[in-house]
Amino acid sequence: MSQTNYALAADAVLALHTMFVAFVVFGLVLVLLGGWRDWLWVRNRWFRGIHLLAIAVVVVQAWMGRVCFLTTWEMALRAKADQATYPGAFIAHWLEQLLYYQAPGWVFATAYTAFALLVMVSWFMVPPGGKVDPLP
């Protein structure tokens, strides 16, 4: 595979990672807003289960001190494309880039855990199930 193809693959993994983060963050926002607005689709068990599983994976990786496999994959592809890589976690890197914010790993693990707790609380505030229309 050429360096250009590795670079394109790395960009694709970065896009996937960004969509994953957006799903986790905005998924909770939509669940809470949808519960308030009585949107039936936010009670869909598949959507809610996948959302809970997604944040659970993030929390487990963070507390184990592991960098997300998507970050590792992207960096390996960038190295093969002879592009610059960054150390550490995806979120930590972009927070540093966007906000010049640096923190030890436990800070991010705690933040992910707090977010996961909010996702779990949303299961009680906006319980999945009942008569629910499929996703639009």
Side-chain angles (χ1 to χ4, degrees), residues 27-113:
L28 177 60
V29 172
L30 289 172
V31 165
L32 297 175
L33 181 62
W36 177 62
R37 301 286 307 198
D38 290 327
W39 296 339
L40 291 179
W41 69 269
V42 300
R43 297 181 186 275
N44 181 283
R45 288 185 191 275
W46 282 100
F47 168 72
R48 298 294 293 281
I50 292 168
H51 186 249
L52 183 60
L53 178 63
I55 188 60
V57 167
V58 171
V59 169
V60 168
Q61 286 180 153
W63 282 109
M64 291 178 67
R66 304 252 167 122
V67 173
C68 177
F69 70 93
L70 291 171
T71 301
T72 303
W73 190 15
E74 178 197 351
M75 292 304 101
L77 289 167
R78 293 215 184 278
K80 288 184 178 191
D82 285 334
Q83 291 184 337
T85 62
Y86 52 85
F90 175 82
I91 298 287
H93 171 74
W94 287 107
L95 279 176
E96 181 179 340
Q97 293 297 310
L98 295 173
L99 306 173
Y100 304 105
Y101 182 78
Q102 293 183 7
W106 68 266
V107 172
F108 293 101
T110 303
Y112 299 153
T113 301

